[in-house]
Amino acid sequence: MADQTEDLKAFERRLTEVISGHQPAARFWRIIFFFVSMCTIVGAWTWLWDPETSQVSLSQSLWNHPFFTISCSVLLLLFLFGIHKRVVAASIIASRCRTFLSEYNMSCDDEDIFNLPQRKSLSSVISWVRRRFKVPRPRS
């Protein structure tokens, strides 16, 4: 039982390490997303309040407002390249961990600390986790 507990603690440490490793990148992409979104909002505001917007064609109106056109294009490109996935990568990993841990009557909270099972076999969880995440057996 002590060996299984050590394996579970090793997995918990590894999971915490992986999720905390994604946090700086997610923070960076959140900042980029916020900045580009604010630029798009400001550009849209000036574009919509321009009196010429309703009097000229759409293409001419967009040509007259390059700040909005460029910021909107950059925002669309960011979505096409998956910024929405990069912003929430750590949350996706934690959610998937909760999903597979629920099969073994286990869960983890937001700090990735396990709530140990009450009824299921811990050895089946450990063996599955070892295979799935290639967690090495701790050295004695």
Side-chain angles (χ1 to χ4, degrees):
M1 184 70 173
D3 186 40
Q4 293 173 352
T5 305
E6 290 299 319
D7 289 342
L8 189 58
K9 287 180 182 178
F11 173 69
E12 182 179 10
R13 284 190 300 271
R14 178 68 180 136
L15 180 61
T16 303
E17 177 184 321
V18 167
I19 289 178
S20 64
H22 281 279
Q23 294 298 337
R27 189 175 306 119
F28 170 76
W29 287 110
R30 280 186 191 113
I31 291 169
I32 296 294
F33 178 67
F34 178 76
F35 179 73
V36 173
S37 296
M38 287 297 112
C39 288
T40 304
I41 289 170
V42 169
W45 182 264
T46 59
W47 180 58
L48 291 173
W49 285 102
D50 184 12
E52 288 184 12
T53 299
S54 62
Q55 298 169 354
V56 296
S57 67
L58 177 63
S59 59
Q60 184 61 41
S61 178
L62 291 174
W63 186 258
N64 291 342
H65 297 277
F67 182 73
F68 170 70
T69 306
I70 291 170
S71 62
C72 190
S73 299
V74 168
L75 186 63
L76 287 174
L77 283 173
L78 286 174
F79 273 109
L80 287 175
F81 287 116
I83 191 172
H84 56 288
K85 293 178 186 173
R86 291 182 175 126
V87 166
V88 295
S91 301
I92 291 171
I93 293 171
S95 171
R96 289 180 182 168
C97 285
R98 282 187 197 100
T99 301
F100 78 79
L101 287 173
S102 68
E103 294 177 13
Y104 297 99
N105 195 27
M106 296 175 69
S107 64
C108 61
D109 56 15
D110 292 337
E111 289 84 28
D112 305 314
I113 298 174
F114 289 116
N115 299 321
L116 295 176
Q118 300 298 322
R119 292 178 284 179
K120 297 274 181 164
S121 167
L122 188 58
S123 61
S124 63
V125 174
I126 298 302
S127 62
W128 185 88
V129 165
R130 244 193 226 126
R131 286 190 313 270
R132 176 75 170 93
F133 292 99
K134 298 178 178 92
V135 176
R137 189 178 279 269
R139 294 184 181 139
S140 301

